[in-house]
Amino acid sequence: MSNIPTENSSGALDADASLVALSQQGDLSAFEALVAKYQKRMLNIAFRFLGDHDDACEVVQDAFVSAYRNLRGFRAEAKFSTWLTAITMNLSRNRLKRMKLHQARVPVSLDAPIRTDDGEMMPDPPSGEPSVLDRMEKRDVQAKVQDCIKALEPDFREVLVLRDLQDYSYEEIGGMLKVAAGTVKSRLFRARESVKDCLKKSMGDLL
């Protein structure tokens, strides 16, 4: 592959082509530039799919390792970002399966500490309905949305994350997941409806 940026199948200029070409020739700094460019985006995708920051970080690290190892086989049939996202989604899917198996085998105590972004805290039984102001807090709303996304089956969760949160086209998503664009649209419709229903149950008249 030359170092001149090429066009992908959709006709759009792939701005990453030069960095990819250099990386394929063993230029580590070029690959590090790709990591810097897409690390945050891949972390967002993995976190939205898995719902756990630590697991998402490990998935993204594995995704970049896998991408680097398989870079020579990348033929630019799709954009590098699309190819990398497909790797991230595949690893996230496998991680989710392992997480579910682990959770099924480990007994859960109602008195066990709850993990949060700030560490661990002991469970505190609710003392009543939260106030309207509390429910309107932005972080609270975001947490509820993430909970509703996490409640989706993986097939529906992944299309919602890729389309609504990452703005990939139906064709790109279909290519990543190896399904028809029509299947993507169908799953996305069901995913959106499920999230709406979940939020209505969680937040009631605030929606």
Side-chain angles (χ1 to χ4, degrees):
M1 179 185 293
S2 69
N3 294 342
I4 300 174
T6 58
E7 291 188 353
N8 59 28
S9 57
S10 66
L13 188 66
D14 185 354
D16 299 323
S18 294
L19 289 174
V20 170
L22 290 171
S23 299
Q24 289 175 321
Q25 295 166 16
D27 187 334
L28 188 57
S29 63
F31 188 75
E32 288 173 347
L34 291 169
V35 172
K37 183 175 181 179
Y38 289 111
Q39 187 171 33
K40 186 175 180 180
R41 185 176 184 181
M42 294 304 116
L43 182 59
N44 183 273
I45 290 172
F47 173 73
R48 289 294 188 175
F49 188 79
L50 296 170
D52 184 279
H53 184 266
D54 291 340
D55 285 310
C57 287
E58 290 189 25
V59 161
V60 171
Q61 182 177 357
D62 291 345
F64 279 112
V65 170
S66 178
Y68 186 73
R69 288 174 176 171
N70 294 282
L71 199 57
R72 292 187 182 279
F74 175 63
R75 300 301 180 207
E77 295 173 356
K79 291 188 295 185
F80 174 79
S81 59
T82 304
W83 181 68
L84 180 62
T85 300
I87 294 173
T88 302
M89 289 302 301
N90 187 51
L91 291 174
S92 295
R93 211 176 297 122
N94 293 339
R95 184 83 175 194
L96 184 64
K97 290 177 183 177
R98 292 198 299 271
M99 288 167 61
K100 287 184 175 180
L101 284 174
H102 178 73
Q103 291 169 358
R105 293 171 182 168
V106 178
V108 178
S109 170
L110 295 178
D111 297 322
I114 300 171
R115 290 181 60 187
T116 70
D117 291 339
D118 299 320
E120 291 187 346
M121 60 179 289
M122 295 304 297
D124 184 17
S127 57
E129 288 291 324
S131 69
V132 173
L133 289 177
D134 288 336
R135 285 183 286 161
M136 288 295 290
E137 287 289 338
K138 184 177 180 181
R139 289 184 62 183
D140 191 41
V141 173
Q142 291 176 337
K144 285 180 170 60
V145 171
Q146 180 59 36
D147 286 343
C148 290
I149 293 174
K150 193 174 178 180
L152 294 171
E153 289 296 318
D155 286 351
F156 301 109
R157 192 187 312 182
E158 56 194 9
V159 295
L160 186 75
V161 169
L162 292 173
R163 178 61 182 172
D164 286 353
L165 302 180
Q166 295 298 323
D167 202 31
Y168 283 105
S169 69
Y170 296 118
E171 290 74 19
E172 286 176 316
I173 297 170
M176 292 180 207
L177 306 181
K178 295 181 174 56
V179 297
T183 301
V184 173
K185 294 177 182 179
S186 175
R187 290 180 183 178
L188 181 62
F189 174 79
R190 292 178 61 183
R192 286 170 174 169
E193 290 301 304
S194 295
V195 169
K196 283 182 186 177
D197 291 342
C198 175
L199 287 173
K200 284 179 181 178
K201 291 176 183 178
S202 176
M203 302 178 68
D205 294 336
L206 289 179
L207 287 180

